[in-house]
Amino acid sequence: MNIANKVTLSRLILIPVFVWSYYFYRRSYDVAAIIFIIASLTDALDGHLARSRNLVTTFGKFVDPLVDKLLTMAAFLVLVEDLIIPGWAVIIIIARELTITGFRTLAADQGVTIAASKWGKAKTFSQMTSLVCLLSAHDALNIVGIYIFYIAVILTLISGIDYIVKNKEILDLENI
């Protein structure tokens, strides 16, 4: 297993650590926020390592986005449980993620790789930024985080529609 994949797996290991710290340090979420930030930064690190050292693997292509989704979904779900963000909005985010993951799987089966779009990157950035703000124990950041969260929900919808519209040929409805 190469170093990039090990970094990805370290992010996976940090997910239960993040969730535990969220509950253990109740109402003082800075520890959870710091762990979330560290885990999020490993995403950039593993991508940089994989590309710069020519360590891109099929395992990494599959596991890296999966771990990203697990990390963000864990954070969204603990925030829903604490009534910080609404469940309906997180359902939209989860539905988009599952839909596009399935869509990418169909594309891969047809030998097509769907690269992240500017909308997808903006969605990811806004989700991560909102989560860092919402996980913070600072009221001012929490308020900013709520606004960014709703922007993230809107970008989630736009990016999902954008992926499907730009790659609709993947959905060969005549063969379904």
Side-chain angles (χ1 to χ4, degrees):
M1 178 170 298
N2 68 41
I3 186 70
N5 291 338
K6 288 178 182 176
V7 171
T8 298
L9 290 179
S10 75
R11 184 166 59 261
L12 180 64
I13 292 166
L14 284 173
I15 296 170
V17 174
F18 156 73
V19 172
W20 176 84
S21 68
Y22 182 88
Y23 290 113
F24 186 78
Y25 295 103
R26 268 241 190 265
R27 299 293 164 217
S28 177
Y29 298 136
D30 284 340
V31 173
I34 290 167
I35 293 169
F36 182 84
I37 290 167
I38 292 168
S40 297
L41 291 174
T42 65
D43 186 33
L45 177 61
D46 65 24
H48 170 74
L49 290 170
R51 287 185 298 278
S52 68
R53 298 183 182 187
N54 198 26
L55 299 174
V56 176
T57 64
T58 302
F59 176 84
K61 287 180 189 176
F62 172 74
V63 173
D64 179 67
L66 177 64
V67 172
D68 293 345
K69 286 168 186 33
L70 290 172
L71 175 64
T72 56
M73 292 307 114
F76 282 135
L77 290 174
V78 296
L79 292 169
V80 166
E81 183 178 25
D82 273 353
L83 303 176
I84 295 170
I85 55 176
W88 65 263
V90 174
I91 290 169
I92 289 171
I93 292 170
I94 292 171
R96 183 266 186 210
E97 297 301 337
L98 292 174
T99 300
I100 299 306
T101 297
F103 197 72
R104 283 187 157 154
T105 302
L106 281 174
D109 189 51
Q110 296 175 30
V112 176
T113 301
I114 301 175
S117 71
K118 65 179 182 182
W119 291 110
K121 290 178 182 180
K123 179 260 323 170
T124 300
F125 179 78
S126 63
Q127 285 181 359
M128 294 299 201
T129 304
S130 73
L131 287 169
V132 169
C133 292
L134 292 168
L135 290 167
S136 166
H138 306 284
D139 290 341
L141 282 177
N142 292 161
I143 292 167
V144 170
I146 287 294
Y147 287 108
I148 298 171
F149 173 73
Y150 285 111
I151 291 168
V153 173
I154 292 165
L155 290 172
T156 295
L157 288 168
I158 291 170
S159 69
I161 292 166
D162 180 61
Y163 273 110
I164 292 170
V165 168
K166 286 184 177 173
N167 299 285
K168 61 183 176 254
E169 68 277 357
I170 298 301
L171 292 175
D172 183 3
L173 298 177
E174 293 177 11
N175 291 327
I176 293 180

